[in-house]
Amino acid sequence: WVARADARGRFALEGLALGSYRVEVAEAGYESLRRIGVPAPTAALTLTVRALAALEGVVRTAHGDGARGATVLLAGSGVWPPRTIPVLDDGRFLIEALPSGVYELRASRDDDVAEPVAPLVLEPGDHRDVTLSLGAGASLVATVIDAETQRPLANARVVVAEDAISVAPRALVSDAGG
């Protein structure tokens, strides 16, 4: 059954059999809500939904210009897997329809990276403006060696993540030289 709430948020569904129901609420600009085990009849049910949040910002180069060609990575409690968002030509980005929660925001372009913005706590209905500034990224160069043969090991899966909890680890596979 489907019902639309009126201007005061009220709705009624009549003619239901006695029992237990799942009730779902969906409205543009709000987090979805699902309540299970709702008994019928019920006369005083209140369903509270929370407004979605948004992040808006710009990625800047080391010289302060908009970082054309950069990407923004968003990960957190309301988004999984992480989202990758390309920026516009002027370095601006907009991420809408985010549930409230705790997030991490990163940016990169080629070998340049921005310091992560974390924890980024979004409350219902928040609209945050964030600036990420790119700088030279660091490199980690290594060789994977077979302990027995002392030869480079090709096709080894390598995962690199910060020592702290990392929401965006990087993975690669070693080449023929290990």
Side-chain angles (χ1 to χ4, degrees), residues 28-146:
Y30 291 86
E31 294 180 19
S32 297
L33 173 72
R34 177 183 291 177
R35 179 91 42 93
I36 58 174
V38 176
T42 295
L45 178 64
T46 300
L47 303 166
T48 303
V49 293
R50 301 184 307 180
L52 292 168
L55 287 171
E56 182 174 9
V58 64
V59 179
R60 299 218 178 272
T61 66
H63 303 293
D65 302 320
R68 179 183 190 152
T71 57
V72 173
L73 179 80
L74 175 73
S77 60
V79 173
W80 195 256
R83 286 188 204 169
T84 301
I85 300 96
V87 302
L88 299 173
D89 287 344
D90 62 357
R92 297 204 63 75
F93 63 90
L94 175 63
I95 308 168
E96 297 180 293
L98 293 170
S100 58
V102 181
Y103 295 91
E104 181 174 302
L105 194 63
R106 297 172 176 256
S108 64
R109 182 180 74 176
D110 301 324
D111 291 334
D112 293 337
V113 296
E115 287 291 321
V117 176
L120 180 57
V121 179
L122 294 178
E123 299 295 336
D126 274 355
H127 189 108
R128 288 286 174 81
D129 193 24
V130 180
T131 298
L132 296 144
S133 298
L134 297 175
S139 296
L140 178 64
V141 179
T143 303
V144 179
I145 303 290
D146 180 306

